[in-house]
Amino acid sequence: MLIDHLYRQLLDLESRALRRRCVIAESPCAPLQRVSGSRAGGDAPERNLLGFCSNDYLGLANHPSLGDALADGARRYGAGSGASHLVSGHSRAHAALAEELSEWMGPYIPQAGVLTFCTGYMANLALLTALGDAQATLFADKLNHASLIDGARLAKADLQRFAHCNLSVLAHQLAQCSTPIKLIVTDAVFSMDGDMADLPALLALAEQHDAMLIVDDAHGFGVLGPRGQGSLAHFGLCSDRIIYMGTLGKAAGLSGAFVAAHPTVIEWLVQTARTYIYSTASSPAIAHALRTSLALVAGEDGMRRRADLQQRIVQLREGLSACVARYADRGWQLPESATAIQPLIVGSNADALALAASLEARGLWVPAIRPPTVPVNTARLRITLCATHSAEDVSRLLDALDQAAKDLP
Ligand SMILES: *Cc1c(COP(=O)(O)O)cnc(C)c1O
């Protein structure tokens, strides 16, 4: 019977330290949060934790101006959209947001058209299924985000995966490929590792082999580039071969996503992307508030936040390198990462969990990321930084990590 079948599998997950549980955030998203519930299951008292886990890189998720803009948007445009975009759910707020985003992306994708989605997951499914037809081959980095992997699985296109950031493998695959349409698909900033794809080299390969380059900039939009325009600005790229996906639930502090691309690509998505056509449009209040978020990201406030974030990244990396060296016999690794995502790879699931639990006992909240999210034997603490972390917050994490490392069996 299904219930027994599932129950046995859940027990199996539990026994391999792979069962996941939500804790409940009792206070808004911020470095210091009040939480209840336990990752280990059962009851746990409410407590305050200093978190290094959110993707709220600029600390905008609880910005008062965004709360006000959301309320203003609900009053002006209503709380719900009532239908999918093509039926009647496409409000003036959605149209204005798309127009603003296409101005943002114009310097990087000539005449960029923009289509907004409820989530990045939906945008990626849309892109890969609508563009990856039977005439196409998808070339995907092996460490791409789950939503790109799922999109590739649903697509009719042939799928070729290349080893993480291995451009010579990719070049070989492109040279061998005989389908008329070729789509290179990559995260700009890899979500569990924090390293960046070499977008200039990928674009050069795309040009050489008459391919398109699909860039998922979930962790770059708002953070990278002088005004937070994302990874294309960071690298100074401009090409109509680029199909860009940015998310609005991370640095932008709200929720949603958008695709920016040549207008013909956008029009094709409108006509064929099933996650666009068959899903209710996001709340117009969110679309409205996102325009305030864009102004914050690009303005003085955003510049200051990006500068603060940069200082915390440098501080954390220095401390983590020292920690890895101090406990060298444990064989931990701190991979190269210049972004707000800093993974401390410890190897075994049990060690990652023990470290996370020990940190939590010290009032710190750092997620232990295990397979299947990351490859086997690369379980890690995924530390993420926000502009709203103070230097003292980072020192507190480093001290606690040192203690936790000592206490590990
Ligand atoms: C978070 C994330 C997504 C999904 O975006 P949502 O808006 O959260 O659905 C897609 N790609 C990457 C790389 C991500 O990190």
Side-chain angles (χ1 to χ4, degrees):
M1 204 263 247
L2 174 74
I3 307 288
D4 300 321
H5 173 66
L6 299 181
Y7 187 74
R8 275 194 303 276
Q9 293 185 81
L10 287 169
L11 285 181
D12 179 54
L13 285 178
E14 185 89 56
S15 71
R16 291 187 291 139
L18 288 176
R19 178 143 171 207
R20 298 150 189 250
R21 289 184 180 84
C22 293
V23 298
I24 299 171
E26 302 285 350
S27 62
C29 176
L32 199 60
Q33 265 190 315
R34 189 142 188 89
V35 308
S36 65
S38 153
R39 296 246 178 248
D43 282 334
E46 250 184 63
R47 59 225 184 264
N48 294 319
L49 293 177
L50 175 60
F52 291 87
C53 27
S54 85
N55 303 311
D56 179 27
Y57 301 121
L58 298 184
L60 295 182
N62 190 33
H63 195 293
S65 304
L66 292 192
D68 289 348
L70 206 49
D72 181 44
R75 270 190 300 273
R76 280 205 226 184
Y77 302 103
S81 67
S84 62
H85 284 273
L86 287 169
V87 174
S88 62
H90 190 64
S91 82
R92 169 55 62 195
H94 293 108
L97 173 64
E99 195 163 311
E100 221 160 278
L101 283 167
S102 74
E103 275 167 32
W104 261 60
M105 297 310 296
Y108 318 106
I109 301 172
Q111 286 132 37
V114 161
L115 199 63
T116 60
F117 288 84
C118 294
T119 70
Y121 193 106
M122 289 169 65
N124 279 341
L125 290 194
L127 275 178
L128 298 197
T129 55
L131 307 180
D133 64 16
Q135 311 259 7
T137 303
L138 300 169
F139 301 88
D141 189 291
K142 281 200 172 167
L143 292 191
N144 277 350
H145 188 260
S147 54
L148 289 173
I149 295 174
D150 293 356
R153 281 185 188 146
L154 281 173
K156 298 219 159 55
D158 193 26
L159 173 63
Q160 305 234 5
R161 299 174 76 203
F162 55 93
H164 181 47
C165 290
N166 191 326
L167 298 187
S168 56
V169 170
L170 171 61
H172 183 72
Q173 290 172 342
L174 284 164
Q176 300 291 310
C177 174
S178 58
T179 58
I181 306 298
K182 304 174 183 69
L183 301 160
I184 303 169
V185 187
T186 188
D187 284 16
V189 176
F190 289 87
S191 50
M192 294 301 135
D193 296 75
D195 60 331
M196 294 185 70
D198 185 347
L199 294 182
L202 287 170
L203 182 59
L205 278 178
E207 275 159 4
Q208 194 183 331
H209 296 277
D210 193 21
M212 297 291 279
L213 176 60
I214 297 179
V215 175
D216 175 340
D217 204 22
H219 302 281
F221 183 78
V223 186
L224 298 173
R227 295 213 165 254
Q229 313 95 316
S231 61
L232 303 183
H234 172 85
F235 285 114
L237 299 178
C238 176
S239 169
D240 55 12
R241 287 189 182 275
I242 298 174
I243 298 169
Y244 180 92
M245 199 289 293
T247 64
L248 303 166
K250 289 171 180 161
L254 282 153
S255 74
F258 69 97
V259 171
H262 187 280
T264 304
V265 172
I266 296 299
E267 183 57 23
W268 184 250
L269 293 177
V270 171
Q271 302 309 318
T272 63
R274 298 171 68 85
T275 59
Y276 184 77
I277 298 170
Y278 299 110
S279 190
T280 301
S282 67
S283 161
I286 294 178
H288 178 70
L290 278 165
R291 298 176 63 200
T292 300
S293 166
L294 291 181
L296 283 171
V297 167
E300 291 292 313
D301 192 346
M303 311 264 271
R304 205 165 45 244
R305 285 166 192 265
R306 279 184 291 278
D308 289 346
L309 178 60
Q310 202 51 47
Q311 288 187 0
R312 297 292 91 79
I313 293 171
V314 171
Q315 182 193 357
L316 178 68
R317 275 196 77 83
E318 279 177 13
L320 286 177
S321 319
C323 180
V324 166
R326 201 152 50 242
Y327 299 98
D329 52 327
R330 294 206 178 272
W332 293 352
Q333 282 170 39
L334 178 66
E336 213 47 59
S337 162
T339 68
I341 303 169
Q342 295 292 334
L344 180 65
I345 299 183
V346 300
S348 80
N349 296 348
D351 278 3
L353 280 181
L355 271 182
S358 171
L359 287 175
E360 182 164 341
R362 294 177 164 84
L364 289 137
W365 191 5
V366 183
I369 308 284
R370 291 152 283 158
T373 309
V374 294
V376 174
N377 295 325
T378 69
R380 65 197 65 189
L381 294 179
R382 176 183 183 264
I383 304 167
T384 52
L385 290 168
C386 302
T388 37
H389 281 119
S390 66
E392 293 71 42
D393 290 340
V394 173
S395 300
R396 211 182 127 197
L397 169 63
L398 290 167
D399 290 344
L401 193 56
D402 194 56
Q403 293 298 318
K406 268 187 207 129
D407 291 355
L408 210 61

